[in-house]
Amino acid sequence: MEERMSGFCTTKAGRGGSSGNNYASGTKCGRWNPTIEQGKLLTDLFRSGVRTPSTDEIQNISTRLSFYGKIESKNVFYWFQNHKARERQKRRRVSVDEKDVMIRRDDKFSSARYFTEIGQVNEREQVIETLQLFPLKSFDEVESEKFRLQANECNEAAAAFSYKFGTEMDRPQLDLRLSFL
Amino acid sequence: MEERMSGFCTTKAGRGGSSGNNYASGTKCGRWNPTIEQGKLLTDLFRSGVRTPSTDEIQNISTRLSFYGKIESKNVFYWFQNHKARERQKRRRVSVDEKDVMIRRDDKFSSARYFTEIGQVNEREQVIETLQLFPLKSFDEVESEKFRLQANECNEAAAAFSYKFGTEMDRPQLDLRLSFL
DNA sequence: TACGTATGAATGAAAG
DNA sequence: CTTTCATTCATACGTA
């Protein structure tokens, strides 16, 4: 029995906002907030192609992540659901805006600027979803970038993760899901 | 009490086009800030009953507003999201206060009472959403009032808005959304 | 300069 | 899956 403080309340959670800030302010307890490690790992999984993990996978991931702080499987479930939805939503919006710009282009600020500002705009997600095995260095959003920057030591976490994933689990790997895609 | 103007401040006078783009304070770069016209129009739409515009509507609105300053659809999305949430929050806060008072005074007063005294506190917002076409003179918050006061000349903006909305669009009006409710 | 308020942005949790 | 709600973080601005 280990009663770590990590988890819901204590929130040392660092999830950046938009301006490269990770808050550690007194967050109110009540809802789960990923710790940096958890966020990093989740993001990695996402970037690896995981989009809609099965119940079992969710369970596994959750178990794994619980090492870094309190977490429930539903949190994992929601995380992926939201992350995926928002990636799409963003993509959708951006692309339309982009179109608008094209149409009404003021020529003052060309589209190039937009792409840079808005970030990676048009990427085929299906492809990514199945071939992401090779990190294409195309993080989905600025967030991941921040995570990566502010938490390099998390690599160890990733390592541990992979490790455990391959040992104490009955299922092969998270890669397994890729096989039935 | 705040003078909100300037569009985005694309790190500098990014957009040209519409006149009267006051960057006044010369601050704010990074996050969108509605110009007076944009704010006026958004507020009007809100008061007209628009609460949760669909993706398409958001796009239209955004496109329209882009005439008055740089703006992305997500800004419109967030604007409505926040505006609605805060209206609700405020209302909730008030009702709670009222309730406290009530309770303290006399427990006899029950819910029925609230409706009468507090005014249209617990209104069915769906209804509003569909019938708000007729300004019920129930402004949501002081802000809108201010906007209205400090920017009367914006009516022209509203006019233009309506105009464009009715002409350069393939869809009828913003009322269209009401059809599928 | 310090702080309160209004509000843009983000995101966990759910509902639809 | 999509859309909405609730909460919280972050920041612009006004004010003392």
Side-chain angles (χ1 to χ4, degrees):
Chain A
M1 307 307 206
E2 45 196 23
E3 210 42 68
R4 251 185 275 78
M5 45 92 215
S6 54
F8 277 68
C9 260
T10 339
T11 309
K12 35 124 133 294
R15 178 178 66 275
S18 58
S19 349
N21 264 332
N22 60 336
Y23 46 89
S25 1
T27 309
K28 201 176 76 172
C29 317
R31 88 179 188 187
W32 171 75
N33 225 4
T35 61
I36 297 181
E37 296 85 358
Q38 295 177 326
K40 200 265 187 285
L41 247 30
L42 286 169
T43 300
D44 278 352
L45 283 174
F46 189 82
R47 292 190 52 200
S48 296
V50 180
R51 288 291 184 286
T52 309
S54 67
T55 303
D56 291 325
E57 295 177 306
I58 288 179
Q59 193 54 59
N60 294 328
I61 297 174
S62 178
T63 299
R64 224 62 59 244
L65 293 181
S66 70
F67 178 71
Y68 304 104
K70 187 158 179 278
I71 188 175
E72 293 173 53
S73 45
K74 76 167 187 177
N75 299 138
V76 175
F77 169 75
Y78 283 136
W79 192 91
F80 279 99
Q81 193 168 262
N82 283 318
H83 211 70
K84 181 167 61 173
R86 277 159 185 152
E87 185 199 45
R88 261 180 207 158
Q89 189 179 75
K90 188 194 317 186
R91 190 196 312 289
R92 213 177 305 155
R93 293 214 170 108
V94 172
S95 67
V96 182
D97 282 345
E98 174 191 316
K99 199 193 307 181
D100 279 354
V101 176
M102 295 305 230
I103 296 177
R104 48 173 269 94
R105 115 149 69 224
D106 283 352
D107 284 309
K108 279 306 178 55
F109 43 148
S110 57
S111 45
R113 203 247 259 289
Y114 274 63
F115 297 140
T116 308
E117 285 191 356
I118 299 174
Q120 42 321 310
V121 181
N122 285 322
E123 294 191 80
R124 28 4 187 199
E125 62 183 280
Q126 291 313 314
V127 182
I128 286 182
E129 189 147 357
T130 56
L131 299 179
Q132 200 66 311
L133 293 177
F134 329 96
L136 298 179
K137 195 57 186 175
S138 64
F139 25 70
D140 31 311
E141 48 178 7
V142 200
E143 283 313 290
S144 56
E145 179 63 68
K146 289 174 196 149
F147 268 125
R148 171 153 265 100
L149 293 176
Q150 66 182 39
N152 280 320
E153 73 286 59
C154 277
N155 291 319
E156 74 178 299
F161 186 82
S162 302
Y163 171 70
K164 305 183 81 175
F165 232 59
T167 54
E168 78 179 34
M169 283 168 60
D170 46 302
R171 316 166 118 266
Q173 228 58 358
L174 57 154
D175 307 41
L176 168 137
R177 63 184 299 293
L178 299 174
S179 61
F180 61 67
L181 279 180
Chain B
M1 305 299 206
E2 2 77 65
E3 261 294 273
R4 203 196 301 75
M5 42 181 76
S6 85
F8 230 128
C9 176
T10 332
T11 308
K12 68 174 172 189
R15 58 164 270 84
S18 72
S19 53
N21 205 334
N22 341 9
Y23 291 86
S25 310
T27 325
K28 63 189 116 176
C29 290
R31 95 177 186 187
W32 172 77
N33 230 358
T35 61
I36 295 183
E37 295 89 352
Q38 295 176 326
K40 201 267 186 283
L41 288 174
L42 286 169
T43 300
D44 277 353
L45 283 175
F46 189 83
R47 294 192 52 200
S48 295
V50 181
R51 288 289 182 290
T52 311
S54 66
T55 303
D56 290 325
E57 297 176 306
I58 289 178
Q59 275 311 308
N60 294 328
I61 297 174
S62 177
T63 300
R64 220 69 54 248
L65 292 181
S66 70
F67 178 71
Y68 303 105
K70 187 162 181 282
I71 188 175
E72 291 173 55
S73 52
K74 75 168 187 177
N75 300 136
V76 175
F77 170 75
Y78 283 135
W79 192 91
F80 280 100
Q81 200 77 72
N82 285 318
H83 213 69
K84 180 168 63 173
R86 277 157 186 154
E87 183 200 45
R88 193 182 295 132
Q89 185 181 74
K90 192 173 302 179
R91 202 161 49 183
R92 199 181 309 151
R93 193 187 306 285
V94 174
S95 69
V96 173
D97 286 347
E98 288 298 328
K99 194 186 300 180
D100 280 352
V101 180
M102 296 303 221
I103 294 177
R104 191 175 316 167
R105 288 172 164 277
D106 227 330
D107 268 282
K108 294 182 298 189
F109 298 115
S110 47
S111 46
R113 237 313 207 206
Y114 296 164
F115 300 144
T116 312
E117 288 204 2
I118 299 175
Q120 43 293 74
V121 174
N122 286 328
E123 296 184 272
R124 20 25 194 185
E125 53 186 283
Q126 289 315 311
V127 181
I128 287 183
E129 189 146 355
T130 57
L131 299 181
Q132 198 67 307
L133 293 177
F134 327 97
L136 299 179
K137 196 56 184 173
S138 64
F139 28 70
D140 29 4
E141 52 177 7
V142 201
E143 280 314 290
S144 58
E145 183 62 39
K146 288 175 195 154
F147 266 125
R148 173 152 265 98
L149 294 176
Q150 68 181 39
N152 279 318
E153 74 284 66
C154 278
N155 290 319
E156 74 178 302
F161 187 81
S162 302
Y163 172 69
K164 305 182 80 175
F165 232 60
T167 54
E168 79 180 31
M169 284 169 59
D170 46 298
R171 313 164 121 271
Q173 238 38 9
L174 57 153
D175 306 33
L176 168 136
R177 63 185 296 292
L178 302 173
S179 61
F180 61 68
L181 281 179

